[in-house]
């Protein structure tokens, strides 16, 4: 009912009004009630006055509207007070959540970041946003992709990291290989075999998978053409890799105590040639696919052509070669692979030119476990059992030393943009470093690791494969599925409404035989 209708109604109602003797008395009682804030009573008195003297209608209407305006002002004040109370409640809850996030960040960084996210939704001020970014920058966040109670014997990743090949089990009892599709959320056994897989690899196009089995057989699975090629191996194989063009497969095997052979499978034929006098620890193709590199426990590395002819032997290390790699393709031309980097148990790494001359990298106080070229090929990185990693120039001078691990460094790598260094250690952690030498994050998980083109680290450790973000804006990361959402019980514990923000859905893996 609007004011006009209400005014007419009250005028009719108060024609018979009692309690006032005349217009002046009714108006005085109305003014007294108005002064005391009794606006409803004032309105009644004013209407009573109007009933006594209808000719005073305009004066009465002014008085009534004043009372209505006063009531409206009270209502607006109450609404403002309620809004301010809600605002202060949100601020208080946001401050509580960010303080809780800071308190638990060392024990549960994932929960801490989710609480910081909720705090930003409630009150996004500079302090809260800075704390959220600090929690994000200095801690680790991950999504568990695979969990096998019995462990994982082997793992391989597609180039786009959307598919993962896994072999459940351990060194002594590897299991049937499986292909996990992280986009379709499916998993399937490969080859329809009961034999366990000892090695496998994706082709560069990711349309083929090569699988080596413990019974010394192998399969080349072509998913595009839905075909399978069978191979017989003369020895067990522990590692396999495709050439850059996907036409050749390189395999290596053996154990600590025996000599080994290198096998090259091309098309439908198998070629085997004697490679070293000790187990092969590292195999690689040159960037152009024409050269093959092997690093062995016999302290040598050897370069071969695709026919199995040894081009040169790299001698100089006095301990087994653990890691060996070709230099990457150059941005200015196809000259990648001209130099070779090796890391050895003799505490040194060496950079070999095409003539077989080596520049030593000396400074570590224990075995070299892993070596890597930067993406531009201008620096090299070494990781050692002495718990440090070192960045070197190509002339053998170390640029930076990265200290902080409390165990042996087992794996080192550059991020795709070359601006970040990643180290994995037997102390159970992975660390990200800038070239200043200070860690930008510590991840409490195991190694080895692989870095994808989208700056994601995929980590294998015991029963798990974890996916770690390297460098992604905070809000993009929160929207992604790389961090676990808050469960309902924690939302209830911290007073977070279920509809505050929908958490990303977790895909379920559907098993396919």
């Amino acid at each position: 009912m609007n004011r006009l209708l209400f005014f007419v109604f009250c005028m009719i109602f108060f024609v018979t009004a009692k309690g006032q003797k005349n217009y002046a008395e009714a108006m005085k009682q109305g003014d007294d009630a108005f002064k005391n804030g009794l606006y409803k009573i004032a309105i009644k008195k004013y209407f009573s006055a109007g009933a006594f003297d209808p000719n005073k209608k305009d004066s009465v209407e002014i008085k009534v509207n004043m009372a209505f305006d006063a009531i409206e002002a009270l209502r607006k004040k109450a609404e403002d007070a309620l809004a301010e109370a809600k605002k202060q409640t949100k601020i208080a809850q946001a401050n509580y959540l960010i303080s809780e996030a800071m308190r638990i960040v060392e024990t549960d960084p994932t929960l801490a970041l989710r609480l910081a996210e909720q705090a930003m939704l409630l009150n996004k001020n500079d302090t809260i946003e800075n704390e959220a970014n600090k929690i994000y920058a200095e801690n680790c966040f991950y999504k568990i992709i695979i969990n096998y109670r019995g462990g994982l014997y082997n793992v391989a990743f597609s180039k786009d990291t959307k598919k993962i090949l896994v072999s459940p089990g351990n060194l002594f009892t590897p299991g049937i290989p499986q292909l996990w599709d992280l986009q379709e959320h499916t998993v399937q056994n490969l080859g329809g075999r009961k034999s366990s897989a000892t090695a496998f690899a994706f082709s560069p196009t990711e349309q083929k998978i090569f699988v080596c089995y413990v019974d010394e057989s192998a399969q080349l699975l072509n998913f595009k053409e839905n075909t399978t090629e069978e191979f017989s191996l003369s020895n067990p194989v522990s590692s396999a890799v495709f050439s850059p063009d996907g036409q050749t497969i390189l395999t290596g095997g053996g154990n600590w105590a025996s000599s080994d052979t290198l096998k090259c499978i091309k098309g439908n034929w198998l070629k085997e040639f004697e490679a070293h006098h000790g187990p092969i620890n590292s195999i690689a193709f040159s960037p152009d696919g024409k050269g093959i590199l092997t690093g062995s426990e016999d302290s040598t590395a050897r370069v071969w052509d695709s026919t199995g002819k040894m081009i040169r032997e790299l001698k100089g290390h006095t301990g087994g070669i653990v890691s060996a790699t070709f230099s990457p393709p150059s941005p200015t031309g196809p000259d990648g692979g001209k130099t070779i980097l090796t890391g050895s148990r003799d505490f040194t790494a060496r950079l070999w030119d095409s003539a077989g001359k080596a520049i030593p990298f000396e400074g570590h106080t224990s075995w070299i476990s892993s070596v890597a070229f930067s993406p531009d090929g201008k620096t090299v990185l070494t990781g050692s059992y002495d718990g440090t990693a070192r960045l070197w120039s190509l002339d053998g001078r170390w640029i930076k030393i990265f200290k902080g691990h409390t165990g042996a460094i087992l794996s080192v790598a550059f991020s795709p943009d070359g601006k970040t260094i990643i180290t994995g250690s037997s102390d159970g952690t992975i660390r990200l470093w800038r070239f200043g030498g200070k860690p930008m994050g510590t991840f409490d998980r195991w190694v080895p690791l692989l870095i994808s083109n989208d700056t994601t680290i995929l980590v294998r450790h015991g029963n798990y494969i974890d996916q770690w973000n390297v460098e992604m804006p905070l809000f993009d990361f929160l929207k992604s599925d790389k961090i676990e959402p808050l469960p309902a019980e924690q939302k209830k514990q911290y007073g977070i409404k279920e509809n505050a923000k929908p958490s990303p859905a977790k895909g379920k893996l559907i098993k396919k035989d």
Side-chain angles (χ1 to χ4, degrees):
M1 183 182 298
N2 59 36
R3 289 190 185 187
L4 179 60
L5 291 176
F6 185 70
F7 181 84
V8 173
F9 171 79
C10 290
M11 288 293 291
I12 296 171
F13 178 78
F14 284 107
V15 168
T16 58
K18 297 181 180 179
Q20 298 84 30
K21 296 179 180 180
N22 53 47
Y23 169 83
E25 184 177 345
M27 287 294 284
K28 183 177 183 305
Q29 290 179 2
D31 290 341
D32 290 341
F34 185 89
K35 290 177 182 178
N36 292 320
L38 304 175
Y39 303 117
K40 289 185 178 179
I41 294 176
I43 290 172
K44 290 180 180 180
K45 298 298 182 182
Y46 292 142
F47 279 125
S48 296
F52 281 116
D53 190 351
N55 294 325
K56 302 288 187 178
K57 175 183 175 182
D58 291 342
S59 298
V60 169
E61 186 174 348
I62 291 172
K63 293 283 188 177
V64 169
N65 282 330
M66 286 176 58
F68 272 121
D69 289 342
I71 292 174
E72 180 66 18
L74 282 179
R75 186 191 66 78
K76 183 65 168 58
K77 185 177 181 180
E79 287 182 350
D80 291 345
L82 180 60
E84 180 64 22
K86 289 181 178 179
K87 177 183 176 181
Q88 293 302 321
T89 299
K90 284 186 175 182
I91 292 174
Q93 187 180 13
N95 290 336
Y96 164 70
L97 291 176
I98 197 66
S99 65
E100 281 294 289
M102 294 163 62
R103 183 181 67 82
I104 66 173
V105 65
E106 292 186 3
T107 56
D108 194 340
T110 300
L111 175 58
L113 184 59
R114 281 304 190 195
L115 294 182
E117 174 192 11
Q118 294 297 324
M120 286 190 292
L121 290 173
L122 291 168
N123 183 33
K124 188 183 175 184
N125 60 37
D126 290 343
T127 300
I128 289 177
E129 189 170 2
N130 289 341
E131 288 297 338
N133 277 288
K134 183 178 179 182
I135 292 171
Y136 175 57
E138 295 181 358
N139 296 277
C140 54
F141 302 96
Y142 62 95
K143 175 185 177 183
I144 296 176
I145 300 173
I146 301 174
N147 180 357
Y148 278 115
R149 292 183 179 180
L152 295 174
Y153 170 67
N154 206 350
V155 61
F157 304 92
S158 62
K159 187 177 180 181
D160 61 5
T161 67
K162 295 177 182 178
K163 295 182 177 65
I164 302 179
L165 275 170
V166 298
S167 178
N170 54 53
L171 180 63
F172 303 102
T173 57
I176 297 173
Q178 296 178 332
L179 177 65
W180 293 67
D181 190 313
L182 303 181
Q183 279 195 319
E184 300 297 327
H185 305 295
T186 60
V187 58
Q188 65 183 97
N189 294 332
L190 292 182
R193 307 174 64 100
K194 294 183 178 180
S195 181
S196 302
T198 59
F200 37 57
F202 282 100
S203 67
T205 61
E206 300 168 7
Q207 295 175 350
K208 298 178 182 179
I209 296 175
F210 184 69
V211 186
C212 301
Y213 297 94
V214 71
D215 63 2
E216 298 182 12
S217 65
Q219 286 183 320
L220 183 62
L221 309 175
N222 189 323
F223 290 97
K224 183 178 181 180
E225 299 177 2
N226 196 25
T227 60
T228 301
E229 294 181 66
E230 301 282 343
F231 299 92
S232 294
L233 308 174
S234 58
N235 289 294
V237 168
S238 59
S239 57
V241 63
F242 274 87
S243 60
D245 64 4
Q247 300 302 307
T248 305
I249 302 167
L250 181 65
T251 64
N255 55 57
W256 189 269
S258 68
S259 63
D260 201 3
T261 57
L262 179 74
K263 305 182 185 75
C264 184
I265 300 173
K266 188 172 185 179
N268 292 317
W269 55 269
L270 174 69
K271 184 180 181 70
E272 179 175 327
F273 52 94
E274 196 69 26
H276 288 277
H277 302 294
I280 294 175
N281 295 324
S282 184
I283 57 175
F285 272 104
S286 61
D288 62 6
K290 297 178 180 179
I292 293 170
L293 175 63
T294 60
S296 172
E297 199 60 39
D298 66 9
S299 302
T300 70
R302 299 186 183 186
V303 182
W304 316 76
D305 65 17
S306 59
T307 67
K309 178 183 178 182
M310 187 175 72
I311 300 172
R312 65 182 186 272
E313 184 177 38
L314 307 178
K315 291 183 177 181
H317 283 294
T318 58
I321 293 178
V322 179
S323 181
T325 183
F326 285 101
S327 58
S330 170
T332 58
D335 57 355
K338 286 188 176 181
T339 56
I340 291 170
L341 180 63
T342 58
S344 170
R345 300 187 195 279
D346 65 7
F347 303 3
T348 72
R350 291 175 182 255
L351 188 68
W352 309 81
D353 62 18
S354 57
K357 295 181 180 180
I359 297 174
F361 295 79
E362 299 174 329
H364 285 292
T365 58
S366 189
W367 296 349
I368 303 292
S369 59
S370 181
V371 296
F373 277 98
S374 61
D376 62 7
K378 295 180 180 180
T379 56
V380 300
L381 181 64
T382 59
S384 170
Y385 276 73
D386 65 13
T388 69
R390 295 191 181 216
L391 182 70
W392 311 77
S393 61
L394 298 184
D395 60 4
R397 293 181 296 116
W398 63 270
I399 302 169
K400 293 289 181 184
I401 185 168
F402 303 91
K403 295 181 179 180
H405 284 293
T406 58
I409 289 182
L410 304 179
S411 183
V412 297
F414 286 90
S415 61
D417 62 7
K419 296 179 180 179
T420 305
I421 286 172
I422 297 93
T423 57
S425 169
S426 63
D427 65 11
T429 68
I430 294 169
R431 297 189 180 216
L432 301 183
W433 311 78
R434 289 295 190 190
F435 291 119
K438 294 182 179 180
M440 53 183 291
T442 300
F443 300 166
D444 185 16
R445 284 297 179 267
W446 201 249
V447 291
L449 52 85
L450 174 120
I451 304 173
S452 71
N453 291 329
D454 65 357
T455 64
T456 295
I457 304 177
L458 294 173
V459 187
R460 183 188 73 181
H461 63 102
N463 297 340
Y464 299 92
I465 294 176
D466 286 353
Q467 187 172 11
W468 304 84
N469 175 62
V470 176
E471 208 168 316
M472 182 187 292
L474 172 59
F475 289 99
D476 290 344
F477 182 72
L478 290 171
K479 293 176 184 178
S480 74
D481 64 350
K482 301 180 188 302
I483 178 174
E484 298 294 338
L486 280 176
E489 60 269 20
Q490 286 182 332
K491 289 183 178 180
K492 183 177 180 181
Q493 176 185 352
Y494 291 100
I496 298 170
K497 294 182 180 180
E498 288 291 333
N499 60 354
K501 181 184 179 183
S503 297
K506 293 176 67 178
K508 296 182 178 179
L509 290 170
I510 305 170
K511 189 171 183 179
K512 292 184 178 181
D513 293 327

